[in-house]
Amino acid sequence: MSASLSRPASAAATVRAVLARDVTTDQLVREALERASASDLNALVSLNDHALEQAASVQKRVEAGEPLPLAGVPLVIKDNINLAGTRTTCGSRILETYVSPYTATAAQKLLDAGAVVIGKANMDEFAMGSSTESSAFGPTLNPWDRARVPGGSSGGSAVAVAANITSVALGSDTGGSVRQPAALTGVYGLKPTYGRVSRYGLVAYASSLDQIGPFARTAEDLALLMNVMAGPDPLDATSLSAPPQFRAGTPDDLRGLRVGVIRESLAGNTPGVEQALQGTIVALKDAGATVGEVSIPELKYAIAAYYLIAMPEASSNLARYDGMVYGQRVQGSDLLESMTLTREQGFGREVQRRIMIGTYALSSGYYDAYYSKAMKVRRLIADEFGAAFGQYDVLLTPTSPFPAFRRGEKTSDPLAMYAADVDTVAINLAGLPALSVPAGFETVDGVRLPVGVQFIAPALQDERLVALAGGLEGVGAVTMDVAPGF
């Protein structure tokens, strides 16, 4: 970002300024569009041509006296979240020209509250990846080191916030795709309870695991977005009726809090991650929390169970992309050849790999050996989390066992890439809420890289996580630095 372009204020500060008539929505959106256009990190795949028109509409509502909770807040949404009149590509060639005819419920709620979507964020193709390298539109670069990945699959959304293009953004989290890039870029990333935020309009990867979640720089901004987005939706049968009551907490929220560190997450971490985790534990104890260890033995099966559930669901969900109804179509000599060529040329290598593995796991003779067994392990993991919450209010792990890795470092080894989600996938299997908190830095090859820790709460206790984050901010335990040059 050019030094001549101002950094965005927090979403909460922006709302206060707009409602006080200190700044106009048009001015805020123009500045955000300028920052997006000036960025060389490939965080966005498209800008919203209607953003200024929407800004003018919001300004009229403000001048009419509407107390809009997100008045004038520019934001970015991941490119698998539908927004009417804009391209929704999912980072794939097969949807390169697809224009959304409708808007996702989560995005519509933000628009109704006065926010303005300035563009769509880059992502791993169909949200399948942990580095944002599998996008058909090129990799997103990490603002802390352009030679390194920002994490994935919501890397573009994370970078939009980390690089100060916007103060908040939306991503989707199927196995850690909000939390892991948040940790690798040094911002907050919240994965809500499954069903807490409507999935209507989110392009499906693995329907029993997917969840929309926000990125932000402050706990107050997380609370703002969740108070608007969360809640039931008649268009999503899996959405939950749990009225949102989010707030940024204070150090008082840490006093008496029972925190369980998951023993299985303590091995295999880099020194910087270990230091950040221990620093967080010390801060919690100093603030009056009690910290102990808890074991969840079945976590050793989480990666295997996750991929044996996610890939079959992806195989089913992506069967609709055959070139017959929407998206790209490659003409063949007959219907079968047209479908085959469309998928061969439209899907990238990682998407094809996951479809093939998922189809195999669902095939006759293998369903019971793979998918059915993975679903049983999923139940065991959820039960073990439930038992742990009988002892503790929240659980604590690293978000990622290492900081951002170099581009290309893991692309030739899919299993190594899948292992990047070792600390996050179990939370999706259990449908729990989890928050990645910026907790420190690790210097690698002379470069200072962010690392994060992850707090996990019982189902529907998402508010506890945001309050905890505010408490950590109050005791100085959140390292929300800005990358050099941004």
Side-chain angles (χ1 to χ4, degrees):
M1 186 178 74
S2 170
S4 63
L5 295 176
S6 61
R7 293 174 180 166
S10 70
T14 296
V15 172
R16 290 190 286 267
V18 169
L19 295 181
R21 311 297 200 275
D22 292 334
V23 65
T24 66
T25 299
D26 180 83
Q27 179 183 344
L28 292 167
V29 171
R30 286 184 186 277
E31 289 177 353
L33 289 168
E34 288 177 14
R35 290 191 295 268
S37 298
S39 174
D40 61 355
L41 300 173
N42 199 29
L44 275 67
V45 293
S46 63
L47 295 178
N48 181 7
D49 294 335
H50 309 290
L52 291 175
E53 177 186 331
Q54 292 169 2
S57 175
V58 170
Q59 188 62 34
K60 288 180 181 178
R61 295 170 65 192
V62 170
E63 291 170 358
E66 282 193 59
L68 301 173
L70 291 174
V73 174
L75 81 155
V76 164
I77 63 175
K78 190 175 179 179
D79 203 25
N80 61 349
I81 300 173
N82 279 277
L83 182 68
T86 67
R87 287 192 304 141
T88 299
T89 70
C90 294
S92 180
R93 290 295 178 199
I94 207 164
L95 289 177
E96 187 172 7
T97 60
Y98 176 73
V99 176
S100 301
Y102 70 104
T103 296
T105 296
Q108 189 62 57
K109 286 185 173 182
L110 298 180
L111 296 176
D112 292 344
V116 178
V117 176
I118 66 157
K120 307 294 284 295
N122 200 10
M123 57 182 283
D124 281 302
E125 186 178 9
F126 282 102
M128 298 181 190
S130 304
S131 64
T132 317
E133 292 176 283
S134 71
S135 170
F137 308 107
T140 295
L141 312 184
N142 192 318
W144 291 91
D145 182 357
R146 285 173 167 78
R148 296 178 182 272
V149 304
S153 62
S154 306
S157 298
V159 169
V161 176
N164 281 309
I165 295 173
T166 57
S167 58
V168 291
L170 291 190
S172 67
D173 192 312
T174 306
S177 291
V178 166
R179 290 159 288 150
Q180 186 248 19
L184 270 53
T185 58
V187 297
Y188 284 119
L190 175 65
K191 182 262 171 197
T193 298
Y194 182 78
R196 196 74 197 271
V197 175
S198 171
R199 289 184 300 112
Y200 177 76
L202 172 67
V203 178
Y205 161 20
S207 302
S208 74
L209 301 165
D210 298 338
Q211 186 61 70
I212 292 173
F215 294 90
R217 284 188 165 276
T218 70
E220 185 179 21
D221 283 0
L222 287 176
L224 262 183
L225 264 65
M226 287 301 294
N227 279 330
V228 170
M229 285 197 302
D233 177 16
L235 299 174
D236 177 5
T238 64
S239 64
L240 302 174
S241 182
Q245 297 178 322
F246 289 85
R247 62 177 181 83
T250 68
D252 287 342
D253 290 284
L254 304 180
R255 193 170 297 118
L257 189 72
R258 299 174 301 163
V259 182
V261 181
I262 298 179
R263 189 174 300 128
E264 286 75 14
S265 73
L266 297 178
N269 301 313
T270 61
V273 171
E274 180 62 29
Q275 183 178 356
L277 183 63
Q278 294 304 319
T280 301
I281 291 171
V282 169
L284 288 165
K285 289 180 177 178
D286 289 346
T290 59
V291 182
E293 283 191 14
V294 64
S295 179
I296 301 183
E298 303 302 327
L299 283 185
K300 62 179 174 287
Y301 303 120
I303 287 282
Y306 169 78
Y307 282 103
L308 283 172
I309 293 169
M311 290 183 182
E313 291 189 12
S315 170
S316 176
N317 280 325
L318 270 64
R320 71 195 68 180
Y321 303 109
D322 55 10
M324 299 298 111
V325 180
Y326 45 72
Q328 302 280 43
R329 177 189 176 102
V330 179
Q331 190 63 46
S333 59
D334 57 25
L335 188 62
L336 179 59
E337 186 179 52
S338 292
M339 289 183 180
T340 301
L341 291 175
T342 295
R343 289 167 172 163
E344 178 184 319
Q345 297 179 30
F347 288 140
R349 177 177 293 182
E350 182 59 31
V351 173
Q352 292 182 22
R353 177 186 293 118
R354 297 195 189 198
I355 290 173
M356 291 177 68
I357 294 173
T359 303
Y360 178 82
L362 289 176
S363 60
S364 177
Y366 295 101
Y367 178 93
D368 288 335
Y370 295 115
Y371 184 78
S372 180
K373 188 172 291 185
M375 290 298 287
K376 293 175 182 177
V377 172
R378 180 181 195 172
R379 180 69 263 165
L380 291 175
I381 290 173
D383 289 345
E384 288 187 350
F385 271 114
F389 286 125
Q391 304 173 57
Y392 297 101
D393 301 313
V394 295
L395 304 179
L396 173 62
T397 74
T399 309
S400 168
F402 40 72
F405 48 91
R406 291 187 176 277
R407 287 200 314 279
E409 183 177 325
K410 299 182 186 296
T411 51
S412 62
D413 185 352
L415 293 180
M417 185 72 79
Y418 299 163
D421 297 327
V422 65
D423 292 313
T424 56
V425 295
I427 287 80
N428 297 76
L429 290 173
L432 301 173
L435 173 66
S436 180
V437 176
F441 291 87
E442 180 166 357
T443 300
V444 181
D445 298 331
V447 180
R448 192 165 171 257
L449 301 172
V451 296
V453 295
Q454 173 181 239
F455 288 94
I456 310 158
L460 297 177
Q461 296 301 312
D462 311 49
E463 285 88 342
R464 186 179 298 173
L465 297 174
V466 176
L468 183 156
L472 289 173
E473 288 178 9
V475 299
V478 178
T479 55
M480 193 64 70
D481 290 1
V482 177
F486 295 92

Short mmCIF file of all heavy atoms in Angstrom, two decimals, residues 152-184:
data_model
loop_
_atom_site.label_atom_id
_atom_site.label_comp_id
_atom_site.label_asym_id
_atom_site.label_seq_id
_atom_site.Cartn_x
_atom_site.Cartn_y
_atom_site.Cartn_z
N GLY A 152 -4.64 -20.26 4.07
CA GLY A 152 -5.80 -20.41 3.22
C GLY A 152 -6.87 -21.25 3.90
O GLY A 152 -6.70 -21.69 5.03
N SER A 153 -8.01 -21.38 3.26
CA SER A 153 -8.23 -20.95 1.89
C SER A 153 -8.66 -19.49 1.77
O SER A 153 -8.74 -18.94 0.69
CB SER A 153 -9.30 -21.82 1.25
OG SER A 153 -10.55 -21.69 1.95
N SER A 154 -8.93 -18.83 2.93
CA SER A 154 -9.42 -17.44 2.90
C SER A 154 -8.28 -16.43 2.94
O SER A 154 -8.37 -15.39 3.60
CB SER A 154 -10.37 -17.20 4.07
OG SER A 154 -11.41 -18.13 4.12
N GLY A 155 -7.17 -16.74 2.24
CA GLY A 155 -5.99 -15.89 2.31
C GLY A 155 -6.23 -14.47 1.83
O GLY A 155 -5.68 -13.52 2.39
N GLY A 156 -7.05 -14.30 0.80
CA GLY A 156 -7.31 -12.95 0.29
C GLY A 156 -8.01 -12.07 1.30
O GLY A 156 -7.67 -10.89 1.46
N SER A 157 -8.99 -12.65 2.00
CA SER A 157 -9.72 -11.89 3.01
C SER A 157 -8.80 -11.50 4.17
O SER A 157 -8.86 -10.38 4.68
CB SER A 157 -10.89 -12.71 3.54
OG SER A 157 -11.81 -13.00 2.51
N ALA A 158 -7.96 -12.45 4.60
CA ALA A 158 -7.03 -12.17 5.69
C ALA A 158 -6.06 -11.05 5.31
O ALA A 158 -5.80 -10.13 6.10
CB ALA A 158 -6.26 -13.43 6.06
N VAL A 159 -5.54 -11.11 4.09
CA VAL A 159 -4.58 -10.10 3.63
C VAL A 159 -5.25 -8.74 3.47
O VAL A 159 -4.64 -7.70 3.75
CB VAL A 159 -3.90 -10.55 2.33
CG1 VAL A 159 -3.11 -9.42 1.69
CG2 VAL A 159 -2.99 -11.75 2.61
N ALA A 160 -6.51 -8.71 3.06
CA ALA A 160 -7.22 -7.43 2.93
C ALA A 160 -7.23 -6.68 4.26
O ALA A 160 -7.09 -5.45 4.30
CB ALA A 160 -8.65 -7.67 2.45
N VAL A 161 -7.36 -7.41 5.36
CA VAL A 161 -7.35 -6.78 6.69
C VAL A 161 -5.92 -6.54 7.15
O VAL A 161 -5.59 -5.45 7.64
CB VAL A 161 -8.11 -7.66 7.71
CG1 VAL A 161 -8.02 -7.07 9.11
CG2 VAL A 161 -9.57 -7.80 7.28
N ALA A 162 -5.05 -7.53 6.99
CA ALA A 162 -3.66 -7.39 7.44
C ALA A 162 -2.92 -6.28 6.71
O ALA A 162 -2.06 -5.61 7.29
CB ALA A 162 -2.93 -8.71 7.27
N ALA A 163 -3.25 -6.07 5.44
CA ALA A 163 -2.59 -5.04 4.64
C ALA A 163 -3.34 -3.72 4.65
O ALA A 163 -3.04 -2.81 3.87
CB ALA A 163 -2.42 -5.53 3.20
N ASN A 164 -4.34 -3.61 5.52
CA ASN A 164 -5.09 -2.36 5.71
C ASN A 164 -5.80 -1.87 4.45
O ASN A 164 -5.91 -0.66 4.21
CB ASN A 164 -4.16 -1.26 6.25
CG ASN A 164 -3.91 -1.40 7.73
OD1 ASN A 164 -4.85 -1.52 8.51
ND2 ASN A 164 -2.65 -1.40 8.13
N ILE A 165 -6.31 -2.82 3.66
CA ILE A 165 -7.20 -2.43 2.57
C ILE A 165 -8.57 -2.11 3.15
O ILE A 165 -9.17 -1.09 2.82
CB ILE A 165 -7.28 -3.55 1.52
CG1 ILE A 165 -5.91 -3.75 0.85
CG2 ILE A 165 -8.33 -3.23 0.46
CD1 ILE A 165 -5.84 -4.95 -0.08
N THR A 166 -9.06 -2.98 4.01
CA THR A 166 -10.29 -2.73 4.77
C THR A 166 -10.04 -3.15 6.22
O THR A 166 -9.10 -3.90 6.51
CB THR A 166 -11.49 -3.51 4.22
OG1 THR A 166 -11.17 -4.92 4.22
CG2 THR A 166 -11.84 -3.06 2.80
N SER A 167 -10.89 -2.69 7.12
CA SER A 167 -10.71 -3.04 8.53
C SER A 167 -11.33 -4.39 8.87
O SER A 167 -10.95 -5.00 9.88
CB SER A 167 -11.32 -1.95 9.42
OG SER A 167 -12.70 -1.79 9.13
N VAL A 168 -12.27 -4.86 8.06
CA VAL A 168 -12.93 -6.14 8.29
C VAL A 168 -13.15 -6.85 6.96
O VAL A 168 -13.15 -6.22 5.90
CB VAL A 168 -14.29 -5.96 9.01
CG1 VAL A 168 -14.09 -5.51 10.45
CG2 VAL A 168 -15.18 -4.98 8.26
N ALA A 169 -13.34 -8.17 7.05
CA ALA A 169 -13.58 -8.97 5.84
C ALA A 169 -14.30 -10.25 6.25
O ALA A 169 -14.30 -10.63 7.42
CB ALA A 169 -12.27 -9.30 5.13
N LEU A 170 -14.90 -10.90 5.26
CA LEU A 170 -15.54 -12.20 5.49
C LEU A 170 -14.77 -13.29 4.76
O LEU A 170 -14.30 -13.10 3.63
CB LEU A 170 -16.99 -12.21 4.99
CG LEU A 170 -18.04 -11.38 5.71
CD1 LEU A 170 -19.43 -11.73 5.19
CD2 LEU A 170 -17.95 -11.56 7.21
N GLY A 171 -14.68 -14.45 5.43
CA GLY A 171 -14.13 -15.63 4.80
C GLY A 171 -15.06 -16.80 5.07
O GLY A 171 -16.15 -16.64 5.62
N SER A 172 -14.62 -17.99 4.69
CA SER A 172 -15.36 -19.20 5.06
C SER A 172 -14.36 -20.18 5.65
O SER A 172 -13.19 -20.20 5.28
CB SER A 172 -16.08 -19.81 3.85
OG SER A 172 -15.14 -20.32 2.91
N ASP A 173 -14.84 -21.00 6.59
CA ASP A 173 -13.98 -21.89 7.34
C ASP A 173 -14.57 -23.30 7.30
O ASP A 173 -15.63 -23.54 7.87
CB ASP A 173 -13.86 -21.39 8.79
CG ASP A 173 -12.78 -22.08 9.59
OD1 ASP A 173 -12.72 -23.32 9.55
OD2 ASP A 173 -12.00 -21.38 10.26
N THR A 174 -13.89 -24.21 6.60
CA THR A 174 -14.33 -25.60 6.50
C THR A 174 -13.47 -26.50 7.38
O THR A 174 -13.95 -27.49 7.93
CB THR A 174 -14.27 -26.08 5.04
OG1 THR A 174 -15.02 -25.18 4.22
CG2 THR A 174 -14.84 -27.48 4.88
N GLY A 175 -12.18 -26.15 7.52
CA GLY A 175 -11.28 -26.91 8.37
C GLY A 175 -10.21 -26.05 9.01
O GLY A 175 -9.18 -26.55 9.46
N GLY A 176 -10.45 -24.73 9.00
CA GLY A 176 -9.47 -23.79 9.54
C GLY A 176 -9.21 -22.62 8.62
O GLY A 176 -8.30 -21.82 8.84
N SER A 177 -10.02 -22.48 7.57
CA SER A 177 -9.73 -21.53 6.50
C SER A 177 -9.95 -20.07 6.84
O SER A 177 -9.63 -19.20 6.04
CB SER A 177 -10.55 -21.89 5.24
OG SER A 177 -10.09 -23.09 4.69
N VAL A 178 -10.50 -19.77 8.01
CA VAL A 178 -10.48 -18.40 8.53
C VAL A 178 -9.38 -18.26 9.58
O VAL A 178 -8.59 -17.32 9.56
CB VAL A 178 -11.85 -18.02 9.13
CG1 VAL A 178 -11.74 -16.74 9.97
CG2 VAL A 178 -12.88 -17.81 8.03
N ARG A 179 -9.29 -19.24 10.47
CA ARG A 179 -8.36 -19.13 11.60
C ARG A 179 -6.89 -19.23 11.18
O ARG A 179 -6.05 -18.45 11.64
CB ARG A 179 -8.69 -20.21 12.63
CG ARG A 179 -10.01 -19.98 13.35
CD ARG A 179 -10.56 -21.28 13.95
NE ARG A 179 -11.05 -22.18 12.92
CZ ARG A 179 -11.05 -23.50 13.01
NH1 ARG A 179 -10.56 -24.09 14.10
NH2 ARG A 179 -11.56 -24.24 12.04
N GLN A 180 -6.56 -20.18 10.31
CA GLN A 180 -5.15 -20.37 9.94
C GLN A 180 -4.58 -19.16 9.19
O GLN A 180 -3.51 -18.66 9.55
CB GLN A 180 -5.00 -21.67 9.13
CG GLN A 180 -3.56 -22.04 8.83
CD GLN A 180 -3.26 -21.91 7.33
OE1 GLN A 180 -3.99 -21.24 6.60
NE2 GLN A 180 -2.19 -22.55 6.88
N PRO A 181 -5.26 -18.60 8.18
CA PRO A 181 -4.72 -17.38 7.56
C PRO A 181 -4.71 -16.18 8.50
O PRO A 181 -3.85 -15.31 8.38
CB PRO A 181 -5.63 -17.15 6.34
CG PRO A 181 -6.85 -17.97 6.59
CD PRO A 181 -6.42 -19.13 7.43
N ALA A 182 -5.65 -16.13 9.44
CA ALA A 182 -5.61 -15.06 10.44
C ALA A 182 -4.32 -15.14 11.25
O ALA A 182 -3.66 -14.12 11.50
CB ALA A 182 -6.83 -15.16 11.36
N ALA A 183 -3.95 -16.35 11.64
CA ALA A 183 -2.71 -16.53 12.42
C ALA A 183 -1.49 -16.17 11.60
O ALA A 183 -0.55 -15.53 12.10
CB ALA A 183 -2.61 -17.97 12.92
N LEU A 184 -1.47 -16.56 10.33
CA LEU A 184 -0.29 -16.35 9.50
C LEU A 184 -0.13 -14.91 9.02
O LEU A 184 0.93 -14.54 8.51
CB LEU A 184 -0.32 -17.31 8.29
CG LEU A 184 0.36 -18.68 8.50
CD1 LEU A 184 -0.14 -19.40 9.72
CD2 LEU A 184 0.22 -19.54 7.25
#
